[in-house]
Amino acid sequence: PNVLALARPWLSRRNAKASVVHGGLDERRPPPAVEPYEVPILLARPRDLLRLSSHRYGDDAWDLAVQQVIPHVDGVRSAKQLARAARVDLDVVLRSLRVLRHYRCLAVVDTFQYQNVYRATDRLSRLAASRRALEGCARFCFRGEARKSLQGLDALRLYCAFQDARSVKDVLLEAARAAPKVVAALDARAFVAFGLVHGLLVRVHRFPVAVRAAQPSRARTPPPPFLDRLVFLCDGSRRMDAVCTDVDLPAARCDAELREHGYATIDVYR
C-alpha cells in the first residue's frame, strides 16, 4: 500500500490512463545473522549450489564472495575458521552465509564439543513415526561396516537419553556400557548435527563467570598472553562458544588455564 501511494502522484503527473506495476514480495523474514562461533552446514552438495540456475534464486547468480565461501563449508569449521581458510574477511563471510541461509541452502549448528549440553524435543515422536526418517537418520549418523546391522531406532534411543538435558560425553559413556556396538559405529558429530538441523535437539548454552579463587594455588606456568582476555570474556554475558572462538581455544583448555592461574568458574546454563 505504501508503494502504491507513492506511485500515484507520479502516474498522475504523466497522465497515465493505464499502468501495470510489476513487483515482487518475499514473505519470508530475513534470517538471523550467522555468528562467528556457529558452524555452517550446507543443505545441498557444493557443486549443485554453484550450478544453481538463476531462474530459481533470482535474476543474479551467486556473487563472487558466496562462490568463494561455498567450497570451504564442511560442517566442521566455525564461520571464523572458515573465513581464515577461505582468506576472506570475516564480515564478508558472515554476510555470504546469511545469503545462503536466506535461500534455505544452509543451516547453522554449534561448534561440536563433547562437553556441550543438549535437551531432546517433542519432535522425537515424529522421527519415531516415520520409517523413512529413521532410515535417513541411520545413514547419516552411523559409519563403517557395523552400520549395516544398525537401525534408526538405535539412534532414536540415544536422542531420548537427552530428555533431561545432558552432555554428549555423559550420554555416550552411559550408552557405551549398554550398547557398545552402537557407540562404536556412531559419528558423534554427525549425530548431533542431524539432531539440531531436524529440531530433535536444542542446545542448553553455558554462560561462564570467572571469579578469583579465595585461596588460589601457585601457578606452575607463567600466565599465557590471552589470560586477561579470557577472564574479561567470562563475565556471564557470553556463551562459552563465543568465548572459545574469540581466544581460539576449546572449552576444556579455557577451563584448565583458568584453574591453573587461580580462577574458578560459575556456570549458568540456559
Side-chain angles (χ1 to χ4, degrees):
N2 293 334
V3 174
L4 295 177
L6 292 171
R8 182 178 178 182
W10 180 82
L11 293 172
S12 298
R13 288 195 300 270
R14 295 178 60 90
N15 295 320
K17 295 181 180 180
S19 299
V20 177
V21 178
H22 295 277
L25 176 63
D26 191 342
E27 296 181 355
R28 290 175 294 178
R29 295 180 179 178
V34 178
E35 299 294 340
Y37 55 82
E38 292 181 313
V39 176
I41 295 179
L42 293 177
L43 302 181
R45 290 178 296 184
R47 64 174 179 267
D48 292 338
L49 289 177
L50 292 172
R51 294 173 183 171
L52 279 175
S53 58
S54 61
H55 73 270
R56 183 175 180 185
Y57 289 109
D59 296 331
D60 299 319
W62 301 124
D63 63 29
L64 293 177
V66 175
Q67 294 180 43
Q68 189 170 353
V69 166
I70 286 176
H72 295 277
V73 179
D74 58 2
V76 176
R77 288 179 286 206
S78 67
K80 182 179 178 180
Q81 294 170 330
L82 193 153
R84 191 178 302 146
R87 298 182 180 180
V88 178
D89 184 75
L90 178 59
D91 290 336
V92 175
V93 168
L94 296 178
R95 287 197 297 269
S96 299
L97 295 176
R98 192 174 186 184
V99 169
L100 290 167
R101 196 176 186 183
H102 174 74
Y103 289 115
R104 301 177 183 176
C105 299
L106 179 137
V108 295
V109 298
D110 309 305
T111 300
F112 177 79
Q113 298 188 78
Y114 284 98
Q115 294 180 341
N116 290 358
V117 176
Y118 298 94
R119 176 175 54 80
T121 72
D122 56 6
R123 289 195 178 185
L124 286 178
S125 59
R126 300 183 187 179
L127 177 63
S130 173
R131 180 178 179 180
R132 183 178 179 181
L134 286 171
E135 291 174 351
C137 178
R139 286 195 302 270
F140 193 84
C141 296
F142 295 120
R143 297 288 183 266
E145 291 296 322
R147 73 174 181 176
K148 296 179 180 179
S149 61
L150 299 174
Q151 301 177 348
L153 288 175
D154 296 304
L156 178 62
R157 294 188 186 97
L158 289 178
Y159 285 126
C160 291
F162 288 93
Q163 294 284 1
D164 299 325
R166 304 172 65 191
S167 71
V168 177
K169 179 181 177 180
D170 290 343
V171 167
L172 294 185
L173 285 176
E174 181 180 286
R177 293 191 290 269
K181 291 184 179 179
V182 174
V183 176
L186 185 73
D187 183 333
R189 187 188 301 273
F191 170 77
V192 172
F194 186 93
L196 291 172
V197 170
H198 291 86
L200 308 175
L201 298 175
V202 292
R203 177 76 181 277
V204 181
H205 287 281
R206 173 191 174 193
F207 292 79
V209 180
V211 295
R212 194 70 178 176
Q215 294 180 341
S217 58
R218 179 175 297 180
R220 290 172 292 181
T221 59
F226 57 81
L227 182 63
D228 289 341
R229 177 68 178 171
L230 179 59
V231 173
F232 170 78
L233 293 171
C234 292
D235 62 354
S237 67
R238 298 173 180 83
R239 300 174 181 181
M240 192 62 187
D241 289 351
V243 174
C244 293
T245 300
D246 190 288
V247 297
D248 285 325
L249 293 173
R253 173 75 185 281
C254 292
D255 291 335
E257 291 292 350
L258 289 170
R259 287 194 302 270
E260 171 71 15
H261 296 91
Y263 289 90
T265 56
I266 301 172
D267 297 323
V268 177
Y269 287 88
R270 61 177 185 268

